[in-house]
């Protein structure tokens, strides 16, 4: 029998996680931008916009803010693209964001017993794959991820995206 209660509880959990991970001095888009650039630098603002889910003009404004805060720098122009990279301060901030993100969630997961945690871990790949409609969606879904943690076990989002769109080919700068 179908129950909306599980869906409602899962939605409440998503809100609670988002609230717990909120940074007072960074918008969710800014945090996603820092983590995305850290993972893929150098990258163009247009590529960043697609991953973070912003228009190109909004991404440029966000990059302006991050550059003014000393977190991101623009590299030498390549054609029409201006590659972005983190500053040393931006790299430290991205590492701290990722560490905090994983620590907060690990603390929450520690409240589960071994069987419940194993059950959740077994269920997550299917749930994530259900939301993966292609490569663009995969990059948005994983914008906060520590990609190194999925390399050995395989990323369910990347696997689903590859099944839909083929292997990942990064846009050239």
């Amino acid at each position: 029998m179908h129950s909306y209660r599980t869906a409602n509880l899962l939605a409440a959990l998503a809100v609670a996680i988002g609230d717990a991970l909120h940074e007072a001095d960074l918008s969710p888009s800014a945090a996603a931008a820092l983590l995305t650039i850290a993972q893929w630098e150098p990258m163009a603002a247009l590529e960043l916009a697609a991953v973070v889910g912003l228009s190109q003009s909004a991404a440029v404004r966000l990059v302006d803010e991050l550059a003014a805060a000393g977190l991101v720098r623009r590299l030498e122009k390549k054609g029409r693209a201006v590659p972005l990279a983190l500053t040393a301060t931006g790299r430290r901030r991205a590492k701290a964001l990722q560490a905090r993100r994983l620590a907060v969630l690990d603390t929450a997961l520690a409240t589960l017993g071994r069987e419940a945690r194993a059950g959740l871990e077994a269920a997550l790949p299917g749930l994530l794959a259900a939301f993966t409609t292609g490569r663009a969606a995969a990059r948005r879904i994983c914008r906060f991820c520590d990609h190194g943690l999925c390399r050995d076990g395989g990323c369910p989002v990347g696997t689903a995206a590859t099944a839909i769109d083929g292997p990942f080919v990064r846009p050239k700068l």
Side-chain angles (χ1 to χ4, degrees), residues 37 41-43 71-75 82-87 91:
I37 295 168
E41 69 182 320
M43 71 184 313
L71 301 171
V72 171
R73 62 190 171 95
R74 290 176 169 92
L75 303 176
V82 178
L84 307 171
L86 297 181
T87 63
R91 197 164 288 105

Side-chain angles (χ1 to χ4, degrees), residues 5 17 19-20 27-28 35 39 50 52 57 59 63 73 78-79 95 107 121 128 131 153 155:
R5 184 172 192 282
I17 289 169
D19 289 349
S27 69
L35 293 174
Q39 181 65 39
V52 177
S57 59
V63 169
R73 62 190 171 95
K78 295 204 176 188
K95 284 182 182 181
T107 298
E121 189 167 337
L128 287 165
F131 283 95
C155 173

Side-chain angles (χ1 to χ4, degrees), residues 83-169:
L84 307 171
L86 297 181
T87 63
T89 302
R91 197 164 288 105
R92 284 191 300 275
R93 184 66 191 270
K95 284 182 182 181
L97 280 170
Q98 192 62 267
R100 181 176 174 276
R101 174 183 172 272
L102 294 173
V104 165
L105 292 170
D106 195 51
T107 298
L109 289 169
T111 66
L112 300 177
R114 188 178 320 186
E115 285 184 29
R117 191 166 177 161
L120 178 60
E121 189 167 337
L124 288 172
L127 292 169
L128 287 165
F131 283 95
T132 306
T133 56
R135 185 64 58 197
R139 293 193 78 197
R140 281 191 306 275
I141 290 168
C142 293
R143 67 188 178 270
F144 289 103
C145 285
D146 179 337
H147 293 254
L149 294 175
C150 285
R151 285 200 180 103
D152 292 338
C155 173
V157 176
T159 300
T162 298
I164 295 166
D165 289 339
F168 176 58
V169 177

